[in-house]
Amino acid sequence: MSETIKTDIVIIGAGPIGLFAVFELGLLDMKTHLIDILDKIGGQCAELYPEKPIYDIPGIPYTSAQGLVDALLLQIKPFNPQFHLNEMVEKVEKIGDPLFRVTTDQGKQFECKVVVIAAGGGSFQPKRPPIPGVEPYEGKSLFYSVRRMEQFRDKRILIVGGGDSALDWTLNLAPLAKKLTLIHRRSEFRAAPDSVNKMRALVDAGKIDLVFGQVTALHGDDGQLQKATVKTNDGAINQLECDALLPFFGLTMKLGPVANWGFELKNNELIPVETAAFETSVPGIFAIGDINWYPGKLKLILSGFHEGALMAQKAYHYCYPEKRLVFQYTTSSSNLQKKLGVAPQTAQPA
Amino acid sequence: MVKITFIDSGGTARTVEGEVGSTLMETAINNGVPGIEAECGGACACSTCHVYIEEAWREKVGTPSPMEEDMLDFAYGVQPNSRLSCQIKVSEDFEGLVVRTPDRQA
Ligand SMILES: Cc1cc2nc3c(=O)[nH]c(=O)nc-3n(C[C@H](O)[C@H](O)[C@H](O)COP(=O)(O)OP(=O)(O)OC[C@H]3O[C@@H](n4cnc5c(N)ncnc54)[C@H](O)[C@@H]3O)c2cc1C
Ligand code: FES
């Protein structure tokens, strides 16, 4: 196991609310590490609707969702937040007063004075394919991601989907596989044109098969796939022999490990907080953004920004118990401006 | 207002008033029609507002845009008459429209 990372604050979730929290915490000298299961920064904005417009960020009449994420990243750059992507936070334990240990599914451990849960609608997880009875095969011969390519050497592989993941793995696994079949419901692909061209070249060379249709049933024993029933677009029903199935139907938000951290959840999915600092029932653990609940809660980005600002004020007292916090504006405080790396506008040297 | 009928996977039909200019998804949600989740609120970003258009209505309702086709890749049980109801604007000539909802959205 790797060494424990010691920091002031661990933020679980790198969506817009976790990102802005870095800013508010940074102004008050608190160092942050952010952990997200996604392979990218920005939460729902980056994963679900990067190119769609947002019209209700105060002072910004229009931005794309990805544009907002990019702007937030620029805004928090002076505070040098550390990102840990592709990692799921599995455990949050109280080990001191206040001191917490946060553990990820990759075995990484953090020790911090304050935990900020900015987990949004939960963690992004692969969607189950629209096939009845997939559960027994999951993790045994049906996989949502590839961690080790060797596992697929000399296997008969079915890959389902038409996006970048499906195409990337088709191209990567084709040289290893005994036989590889790509199944998609139509002849257009969402994936990058370059990958689509490479895939078509493999099909033309007879190296892989391409089938237009949908998998309707799986057959096998004890979690080991043997065959899949495929209904092709011309109405034919075929049985394809296979050892492994890789379905890529995108991601959906599931609450995930948050459910196991001992909070009494509202409607089984939201963490109740008080509204002075958005602290949970455990002192030192805060919840901000879409994941929290309090009377009057609105799941809006602007509400989450406000929650982050109030949270930071209280978090300060856990990190610097002996210090008094003086309220300051970024406009006029040379102290804050120094932290932001912008030269103070007044007090020119003579 | 036009009358629109939603038939669920169990065969139960519900006829509701659709406001011209709103979407078919909004019509379902505002009238408490079950079987449509619309997690993303109509942004064509979730595919949980999937419906099947009755054969006789397919031409009038029209075909999906490329963006909607991309999203349909993520829906369950996609058929040639599949559409995402948040991408369909209710118009005057939808009076009597019949659509079916799938047995699951996600
Ligand atoms: C289509 C669409 C349009 C929208 N339009 C608007 C709009 O116009 N205006 C507006 O204000 N809001 C809008 N929203 C809502 C807005 O996107 C959310 O309020 C916002 O994303 C919430 O931010 P967040 O940081 O709280 O959570 P999220 O953006 O959900 O990010 C949470 C992150 O936490 C991660 N995570 C969760 N659990 C774990 C774990 N255990 N380990 C590791 N990582 C974890 C997730 O993977 C995720 O990346 C829209 C949403 C959608 C889907
Ligand atoms: S409501 Fe999400 S795609 Fe229609």
Side-chain angles (χ1 to χ4, degrees), chain A residues 18-28 32 75-76 78-79 330 340:
Chain A
L19 292 179
F20 191 66
V22 170
F23 186 85
E24 292 293 335
L25 291 161
L27 282 182
L28 305 181
T32 46
Q75 193 168 25
I76 64 178
F79 303 114
T330 55
L340 288 168

Side-chain angles (χ1 to χ4, degrees), chain A residues 48-49 52 127-132 162-163 184-186 188-190 214 248-253, chain B residues 39 43-48 66-79 104-106:
Chain A
L48 294 180
Y49 62 111
K52 304 231 159 75
K127 261 198 199 168
R128 282 224 163 104
I131 312 166
H184 183 42
R185 71 170 187 96
R186 58 192 175 115
E188 289 83 38
F189 289 81
R190 301 184 310 284
Q214 299 177 56
F248 295 105
F249 284 88
L251 301 175
T252 178
M253 295 194 98
Chain B
E39 266 172 29
C44 198
C46 73
S47 78
T48 62
M67 175 178 76
E68 184 182 336
E69 280 285 2
D70 282 356
M71 235 26 247
L72 274 170
D73 283 351
F74 300 124
Y76 283 71
V78 178
Q79 293 171 12
R104 58 195 286 201
Q105 289 284 2

